[in-house]
Amino acid sequence: MERVEHHASFGGWQDVYQHDSISLGCSMRFGVYLPPQVEDVKAPVLYWLSGLTCTEQNFITKASAQRFAAEHGIILVAPDTSPRGEGVADDEAYDLGQGAGFYLNASQAPWSSHFKMYDYVVDELPALIESSFPATDRRSISGHSMGGHGALTIALKNPGRYKSVSAFSPIVAPTQVPWGKKAFTAYLGNDPENWKQYDTVELIKTAQERLPILVDQGGDDEFLAVQLRPNLLKAACDEHGHPLTLNQRPGYDHSYYFIESFIGNHLAHHAEALS
Amino acid sequence: MERVEHHASFGGWQDVYQHDSISLGCSMRFGVYLPPQVEDVKAPVLYWLSGLTCTEQNFITKASAQRFAAEHGIILVAPDTSPRGEGVADDEAYDLGQGAGFYLNASQAPWSSHFKMYDYVVDELPALIESSFPATDRRSISGHSMGGHGALTIALKNPGRYKSVSAFSPIVAPTQVPWGKKAFTAYLGNDPENWKQYDTVELIKTAQERLPILVDQGGDDEFLAVQLRPNLLKAACDEHGHPLTLNQRPGYDHSYYFIESFIGNHLAHHAEALS
């Protein structure tokens, strides 16, 4: 593991590391924010999963979450959104292949040899973080858009593993929307039954742990009606008694200007659960 | 003038406009943040000048100043750093030509036909802002690196025009450092006497208005010793009785991680002067 960036930030350090991932079979980068508190004590960790086209850079340069991580004493870990490199399968479209890992384990060629973001985020990355940094094993998870999908599905599939979960503008029903149908067909094959294991609305039905879900959704998000459809999440949570706080934010779009405006609320939510 | 971006941000709007600049003879973009208060009242304006290689995007996406502008009710205006376009002179180096306007009026060919960033920032842009947006004529100015140089020199050369001035990691003595000597030779010719009109340390000597200067400087800034040399500013202010608050920030570098960490202090400083 090699440190490739190191910046003082809000009394702590915003670093970027590069390492060879076993799950993904390629070199990967992740951002890690170490708050000032880790000089004295270990800190809990919030994992942030980014959206389509993003790398580890988007969240660490644009969300200004470090301000609140420093305040609450939380480590922030922001991985890349897919395996990368010349030997990794890719597609010309922005919503398939590199930059579009969808936080699942692909079963179909040519994707199945590297696209194991689920294993990477759930197991490999936390093990690396907890052995390499002053981190406790108290974890929370959040993300944006495709990364909101990742955060919600990973929390639902791993009861007890995360203290809290939240999302901005998540894809909540990938089996029902164009982004998800396209990616899941490629990564998981033609049988929609195999897609349900990575669909938040489906997972809510059988969730073993009623971990409260916090979602913020911009009202002027250009992907709201076709790709995101938070009403499907609300209906599923209502039907199955799953606790959900769905903050509708009129006027806000899908950008980091939206995330930045409300990231402080999400960090406070996670800080309470992690403390 | 055409609006090319429009994002809800902290209860206000982060917009980007494009217009044909008379001073510069080309199309220019600037960011403008309109805080929520302007729905009811006009607001004062803080101009932000960015550094080498930047466009109007760097500050608006990375500094998270909107949070504090919304709190204090301040409009933020962030212009590009030089004239742009195919018909505009340029140089292969990052520190000359497009992206490196140095906030002066060039007198030398081929630069003199477009490189009039001083006129643009001092006159054209404020006139446009104050006639097109709910802005008062109360102005402050700040910036980073080359833009810190721009903010300090423009405030010193225009007594009474700005209520307050601040800078992050400014080039304070361009006539004495490599970045400045190279650019000023190209833009202003070989006679160093002609350079002094755009040099903060020189302007401090004859300042007609003792407007207090606020500067934050990172201690691990890679440009500190050779290009920035804040000790020269301190010596000039000490000698001439010019009020200066120079905050040395150990560990911080030249990046927006540094700016973001302390931008709240600068916004509070300007808010007090603008109120």
Side-chain angles (χ1 to χ4, degrees):
Chain A
M1 194 168 70
E2 181 194 2
R3 193 172 74 187
V4 294
E5 288 190 40
H6 184 55
H7 310 278
S9 166
F10 293 103
W13 296 96
Q14 178 62 59
D15 294 342
V16 175
Y17 282 83
Q18 181 156 348
H19 74 118
D20 292 326
S21 165
I22 295 162
S23 334
L24 301 170
C26 67
S27 179
M28 289 291 285
R29 290 189 172 197
F30 61 87
V32 57
Y33 178 70
L34 299 168
Q37 291 85 347
V38 301
E39 290 199 3
D40 302 315
V41 292
K42 288 186 175 187
V45 182
L46 174 63
Y47 291 86
W48 173 271
L49 306 182
S50 289
L52 288 165
T53 77
C54 289
T55 69
E56 84 290 345
Q57 288 292 318
N58 302 66
F59 179 70
I60 67 177
T61 58
K62 293 184 173 180
S64 203
Q66 295 94 341
R67 176 184 305 278
F68 302 101
E71 183 184 324
H72 297 298
I74 295 173
I75 294 172
L76 301 174
V77 174
D80 200 347
T81 54
S82 80
R84 301 268 183 188
E86 287 192 7
V88 175
D90 200 5
D91 187 275
E92 287 184 358
Y94 75 97
D95 54 1
L96 191 66
Q98 296 186 32
F102 273 86
Y103 305 102
L104 50 72
N105 291 334
S107 61
Q108 305 296 302
W111 311 107
S112 51
S113 48
H114 294 282
F115 281 73
K116 306 285 183 189
M117 284 299 289
Y118 179 84
D119 284 350
Y120 179 69
V121 169
V122 174
D123 294 318
E124 182 178 357
L125 188 58
L128 182 66
I129 296 295
E130 290 161 28
S131 63
S132 309
F133 298 96
T136 70
D137 61 359
R138 295 182 74 83
R139 308 171 199 99
S140 290
I141 191 162
S142 185
H144 174 232
S145 195
M146 176 184 75
H149 144 76
L152 295 174
T153 53
I154 284 172
L156 287 163
K157 286 163 74 73
N158 293 277
R161 193 158 174 79
Y162 299 94
K163 302 299 177 194
S164 51
V165 61
S166 78
F168 288 84
S169 333
I171 305 169
V172 299
T175 65
Q176 301 184 53
V177 306
W179 274 341
K181 288 180 181 176
K182 175 179 175 179
F184 285 15
T185 302
Y187 297 144
L188 302 171
N190 290 319
D191 183 355
E193 278 303 309
N194 293 333
W195 304 353
K196 293 183 177 176
Q197 61 181 316
Y198 296 114
D199 182 295
T200 296
V201 164
E202 293 295 329
L203 291 166
I204 289 285
K205 298 178 184 173
T206 56
Q208 295 169 45
E209 180 195 36
R210 292 293 172 200
L211 191 67
I213 293 175
L214 169 63
V215 168
D216 274 69
Q217 175 59 58
D220 280 6
D221 189 319
E222 65 265 42
F223 303 111
L224 179 59
V226 173
Q227 305 281 11
L228 305 179
R229 303 179 65 182
N231 52 317
L232 296 176
L233 176 65
K234 181 161 192 322
C237 288
D238 285 351
E239 184 179 344
H240 298 278
H242 200 108
L244 169 71
T245 302
L246 173 57
N247 296 315
Q248 305 272 9
R249 305 295 189 181
Y252 285 85
D253 63 18
H254 200 67
S255 72
Y256 268 87
Y257 292 111
F258 168 50
I259 296 168
E260 184 183 43
S261 297
F262 298 101
I263 193 75
N265 298 353
H266 283 238
L267 266 284
H269 170 76
H270 295 296
E272 189 178 346
L274 288 166
S275 69
Chain B
M1 192 167 72
E2 182 193 2
R3 192 172 74 186
V4 294
E5 289 189 40
H6 184 56
H7 310 279
S9 165
F10 294 103
W13 295 96
Q14 178 61 59
D15 294 343
V16 175
Y17 281 84
Q18 181 157 345
H19 73 119
D20 293 325
S21 164
I22 296 163
S23 334
L24 301 171
C26 67
S27 180
M28 289 291 284
R29 289 189 173 200
F30 61 87
V32 57
Y33 178 70
L34 299 168
Q37 292 85 348
V38 301
E39 291 198 4
D40 303 315
V41 292
K42 290 187 174 185
V45 183
L46 174 63
Y47 291 86
W48 173 271
L49 306 182
S50 290
L52 288 166
T53 76
C54 290
T55 70
E56 84 290 345
Q57 289 291 319
N58 302 65
F59 179 71
I60 68 177
T61 59
K62 293 185 173 180
S64 203
Q66 295 94 340
R67 176 183 304 278
F68 302 99
E71 180 184 326
H72 297 297
I74 295 173
I75 295 171
L76 301 174
V77 174
D80 200 349
T81 54
S82 78
R84 300 268 183 190
E86 289 192 4
V88 174
D90 201 4
D91 187 275
E92 287 184 0
Y94 76 96
D95 55 0
L96 190 66
Q98 296 186 32
F102 272 87
Y103 304 102
L104 50 72
N105 290 335
S107 60
Q108 306 295 302
W111 311 106
S112 51
S113 48
H114 293 283
F115 281 72
K116 306 285 182 186
M117 284 298 289
Y118 180 85
D119 284 351
Y120 180 70
V121 170
V122 174
D123 294 319
E124 184 178 357
L125 188 58
L128 182 67
I129 296 295
E130 289 161 27
S131 64
S132 307
F133 298 96
T136 71
D137 62 359
R138 296 182 73 84
R139 307 173 201 98
S140 290
I141 193 163
S142 185
H144 173 230
S145 194
M146 176 183 76
H149 144 76
L152 295 174
T153 53
I154 283 172
L156 287 164
K157 287 164 72 74
N158 292 277
R161 194 158 175 80
Y162 300 94
K163 302 300 178 194
S164 52
V165 61
S166 77
F168 287 83
S169 334
I171 304 168
V172 299
T175 64
Q176 300 183 55
V177 306
W179 274 341
K181 287 180 181 176
K182 175 181 177 179
F184 285 15
T185 301
Y187 296 144
L188 302 171
N190 291 320
D191 183 357
E193 278 303 309
N194 292 333
W195 303 354
K196 293 184 177 175
Q197 62 180 313
Y198 295 114
D199 183 293
T200 296
V201 164
E202 292 294 330
L203 291 166
I204 289 284
K205 297 178 185 174
T206 56
Q208 294 169 46
E209 181 194 35
R210 293 294 172 198
L211 191 66
I213 293 174
L214 169 63
V215 168
D216 274 68
Q217 174 60 56
D220 280 5
D221 188 320
E222 65 264 44
F223 303 111
L224 179 59
V226 172
Q227 304 283 10
L228 305 179
R229 302 179 65 182
N231 54 315
L232 296 176
L233 177 64
K234 181 160 193 323
C237 287
D238 284 350
E239 183 178 346
H240 297 279
H242 200 107
L244 169 70
T245 302
L246 174 57
N247 296 316
Q248 306 273 9
R249 305 295 188 181
Y252 284 86
D253 64 18
H254 201 67
S255 73
Y256 267 86
Y257 293 110
F258 167 51
I259 295 170
E260 183 183 41
S261 297
F262 299 101
I263 194 75
N265 297 352
H266 283 239
L267 266 285
H269 170 76
H270 294 296
E272 188 178 347
L274 287 166
S275 69

